[in-house]
């Protein structure tokens, strides 16, 4: 009957519209999933390299007499290089520079994560600095100030 044919054609149109909608939604959802995965790798690498820099700076902080001929900056660079060899993600090693003054040790790193389409790369930077804490000096200064304030 003609009514059955109309119902059959309507069902086929509905099935076809679902196929067209799925043809748009599935690639977009795959692209979003891939983008989130790439973002997770990027954040993971940035946090991992920052933690490695902090570990190296803290290991070298205040160890002038313990390391023989090595300065704190050289000790931090050595510790950082050891830590970078244990990296958990493949890719290029970051550029790292260790600097130091008498009061602080600093590591500056820059790297690239996940080369993208057409040569585009995600760049990250980490600047880690730790001041050298000398508790004996602070205690002496506090006692000196306390003594100056309590004298009459």
């Amino acid at each position: 009957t003609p009514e059955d044919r109309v119902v059959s054609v309507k069902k086929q149109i509905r099935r076809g519209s679902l196929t067209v909608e799925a043809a748009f939604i599935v690639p977009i959802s795959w692209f979003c999933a891939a983008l989130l995965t790439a973002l997770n790798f990027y954040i993971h690498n940035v946090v991992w390299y920052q933690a490695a820099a902090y570990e190296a700076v803290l290991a070298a902080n205040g160890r002038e007499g313990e390391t023989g001929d090595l300065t704190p900056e050289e000790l931090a660079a050595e510790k950082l290089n050891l830590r970078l060899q244990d990296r958990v993600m493949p890719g290029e090693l970051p550029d790292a520079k260790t600097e130091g003054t008498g009061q602080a040790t600093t590591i500056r790193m820059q790297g690239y994560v996940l080369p993208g389409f057409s040569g585009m790369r995600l760049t990250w930077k980490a600047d880690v600095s730790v001041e050298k804490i000398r508790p004996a000096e602070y205690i002496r200064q506090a006692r000196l100030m306390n003594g100056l304030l309590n004298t009459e």
Side-chain angles (χ1 to χ4, degrees):
T1 67
E3 294 171 355
D4 291 336
R5 274 195 244 160
V6 169
V7 170
S8 173
V9 169
K10 285 183 180 180
K11 284 183 182 179
Q12 288 177 355
I13 289 173
R14 280 191 218 132
R15 265 192 241 137
S17 70
L18 287 177
T19 304
V20 171
E21 290 171 2
F24 286 108
I25 291 173
V26 170
I28 289 172
S29 62
W30 277 104
F31 178 75
C32 290
L35 191 63
L36 285 174
T37 303
L39 182 64
N40 283 336
F41 281 125
Y42 174 77
I43 292 172
H44 171 269
N45 284 359
V46 170
V47 169
W48 193 88
Y49 284 121
Q50 284 179 345
Y54 271 112
E55 183 179 331
V57 168
L58 289 173
N61 190 23
R63 294 192 172 182
E64 292 91 9
E66 300 174 19
T67 58
D69 294 337
L70 292 177
T71 65
E73 296 77 36
E74 293 169 341
L75 184 62
E78 183 179 301
K79 178 72 175 175
L80 181 64
N81 287 333
L82 285 174
R83 189 73 171 114
L84 291 180
Q85 290 174 3
D86 297 336
R87 68 178 189 253
V88 293
M89 296 297 294
E92 300 176 11
L93 279 176
D95 298 326
K97 187 192 315 184
T98 307
E99 302 169 350
T101 63
Q103 298 298 319
T105 304
T106 303
I107 292 180
R108 298 183 194 286
M109 290 197 311
Q110 178 178 351
Y112 305 99
V113 180
L114 295 172
F117 302 105
S118 69
M120 181 178 67
R121 300 194 283 184
L122 298 173
T123 304
W124 59 269
K125 292 181 182 181
D127 293 333
V128 175
S129 181
V130 174
E131 284 189 31
K132 295 178 182 170
I133 299 172
R134 294 183 173 88
E137 289 180 21
Y138 288 116
I139 291 171
R140 286 184 193 122
Q141 290 174 359
R143 286 183 180 163
L144 176 68
M145 292 303 290
N146 191 16
L148 291 174
L149 293 174
N150 288 334
T151 57
E152 295 179 33

